[in-house]
Amino acid sequence: MPVAAHRPLKCAGILFPLLRPAAGCSIQQWESDEPIPRSELLAGVAGKHGLLCLLSDRIDKEVLDAAGSNLKIISTLSAGFDHLALEEIKKRGIRVGYTPDILTDATAELSVALLLATCRRLPESVEEVKNGGWTTWKPLWMCGYGLSDSTVGIIGLGRIGQAVARRLKPFGVKKFLYTGSRPKPESAVEFQANFVPLAKLAEESDFVVVTCSLTPDTKGMCNKDFFSRMKKTSVFINTSRGAVVNQEDLYQALVSGQIAAAGLDVATPEPLPTDHPLLSLKNCGKPPSLQTAAVCTFSYIPLLALLMGRQWLPVARAGGSCYSCYSVCHTDLTRNFILGELGMVCV
């Protein structure tokens, strides 16, 4: 059974031996860290039974047609799946695996790191040291904003939103606000967080952290109206999806002083062009997207994606019962369970 993988995987020494003994499985891998060209993807997926892809790989009808009827499994090395044409995949009865829980801690840590770096102006300060701007101690020079007695607004109190609040609470945050599709009192009670409309969250928060999913309702949600309601001293952090933010409106809010600063882990497109207006601003930090860039996290992502993680997307099954793998430690048992009893390659 042939399988296509669209990046060289660092855990291949663990991952590939799980597949190869099963039904004569063969693996074809894209040997570069750069995204696979569309033409290579279409050619490489032809006739494959399984596909292991990344968030940057758009898996649409064209790819599915190129793969043909052999394709039974698609696994993505990501918590998100907006790059997958789910309705088309569902029509074909293809199973889909993803890894929603594995990135929670790493993304929450990054959100807090980005918030602290942005509100205390660390990237800007480092540049001042390098270019000679640091001459002597000045009482108000490079003053930023602290978390003590502050109000933090979280857009999307899901797994990541809760993990962010949990990490910020010890900093002395006075009040947590959150918004989303519905109140979540069972989750909010830990932080005594109040559910409020989006507009009120913008008006009252000293720090806004966006951790929601990208949906038709959230696309472009952080726009001119949203930023105009924020305090001039407020800090905006986005670690969800770039398309949640209207970037032109964010730029105007930053350059006009409507808000104090922004830290962005995500943007549209990625990477941002080097001449993008946001990158010209001292009060906007945009590192590469680093949500998965924790050694202990990325060591497990490909393996979990390969074994379908612990979650299945609600799409039509290729046949038989829905099996979930709960352990990646017992490799022989896992291989026999997934590849033997299920009787198909799972990637």
Side-chain angles (χ1 to χ4, degrees):
M1 282 187 183
V3 177
H6 288 165
R7 287 298 194 284
L9 303 175
K10 302 301 182 183
C11 68
I14 299 174
L15 185 152
F16 288 166
L18 295 180
L19 284 174
R20 288 198 173 107
C25 179
S26 61
I27 298 162
Q28 182 178 335
Q29 178 175 266
W30 173 246
E31 298 289 346
S32 172
D33 278 335
E34 296 301 316
I36 184 170
R38 187 72 173 178
S39 59
E40 294 281 351
L41 170 59
L42 295 175
V45 76
K48 299 298 187 296
H49 294 84
L51 173 63
L52 184 61
C53 64
L54 277 73
L55 195 63
S56 56
D57 301 320
R58 181 167 49 89
I59 309 302
D60 55 13
K61 184 177 184 298
E62 184 182 26
V63 173
L64 299 174
D65 287 343
S69 59
N70 279 347
L71 187 63
K72 303 300 181 185
I73 297 286
I74 298 172
S75 266
T76 177
L77 278 70
S78 64
F81 43 84
D82 45 272
H83 58 302
L84 305 179
L86 291 182
E87 288 303 315
E88 189 64 32
I89 291 170
K90 182 177 180 178
K91 290 178 186 176
R92 301 172 189 234
I94 299 171
R95 301 179 88 168
V96 176
Y98 71 135
T99 58
D101 294 323
I102 194 68
L103 296 179
T104 299
D105 288 340
T107 304
E109 290 168 3
L110 179 66
S111 300
V112 173
L114 198 55
L115 187 153
L116 292 173
T118 303
C119 73
R120 295 303 300 270
R121 304 172 66 179
L122 296 187
E124 188 179 350
S125 299
V126 169
E127 285 303 311
E128 289 298 311
V129 173
K130 292 180 178 180
N131 64 28
W134 179 32
T135 56
T136 185
W137 181 77
K138 305 167 189 175
L140 299 180
W141 188 60
M142 285 292 147
C143 277
Y145 303 95
L147 281 160
S148 295
D149 294 321
S150 68
T151 296
V152 173
I154 298 176
I155 300 178
L157 196 67
R159 288 184 302 268
I160 294 172
Q162 293 171 50
V164 169
R166 197 169 292 121
R167 286 159 173 77
L168 290 178
K169 190 176 180 180
F171 283 91
V173 173
K174 183 179 181 179
K175 182 167 63 174
F176 285 100
L177 304 176
Y178 74 100
T179 193
S181 58
R182 61 178 178 82
K184 295 184 175 181
E186 69 287 350
S187 302
V189 66
E190 178 182 351
F191 321 106
Q192 297 181 322
N194 298 322
F195 181 79
V196 296
L198 181 65
K200 186 174 182 178
L201 182 143
E203 293 165 356
E204 298 187 6
S205 298
D206 299 300
F207 302 93
V208 173
V209 184
V210 186
T211 61
C212 62
S213 300
L214 176 61
T215 68
D217 290 334
T218 62
K219 186 175 182 180
M221 176 175 59
C222 298
N223 54 19
K224 182 178 180 179
D225 178 70
F226 177 85
F227 294 122
S228 69
R229 296 174 183 273
M230 291 177 64
K231 303 175 183 179
K232 293 186 181 298
T233 56
S234 58
V235 173
F236 178 81
I237 303 296
N238 184 19
T239 54
S240 60
R241 287 287 187 269
V244 171
V245 179
N246 183 311
Q247 291 176 172
E248 291 183 7
D249 292 347
L250 174 60
Y251 173 80
Q252 291 300 327
L254 289 166
V255 78
S256 67
Q258 177 60 50
I259 65 174
L264 310 174
D265 178 63
V266 289
T268 303
E270 289 202 333
L272 278 179
T274 56
D275 60 351
H276 193 282
L278 284 172
L279 300 183
S280 69
L281 301 178
K282 290 184 178 181
N283 58 344
C284 181
K286 177 61 187 92
S289 186
L290 298 173
Q291 292 182 15
T292 63
V295 173
C296 60
T297 297
F298 204 76
S299 295
Y300 288 104
I301 290 178
L303 192 56
L304 287 178
L306 171 71
L307 299 176
M308 301 174 291
R310 295 166 58 186
Q311 304 280 343
W312 283 103
L313 293 179
V315 300
R317 304 296 190 254
S321 303
C322 175
Y323 290 86
S324 295
C325 174
Y326 288 94
S327 172
V328 296
C329 299
H330 305 292
T331 54
D332 289 338
L333 177 61
T334 298
R335 182 189 66 218
N336 293 336
F337 178 72
I338 296 295
L339 302 179
E341 293 186 16
L342 198 58
M344 59 178 62
V345 178
C346 303
V347 297

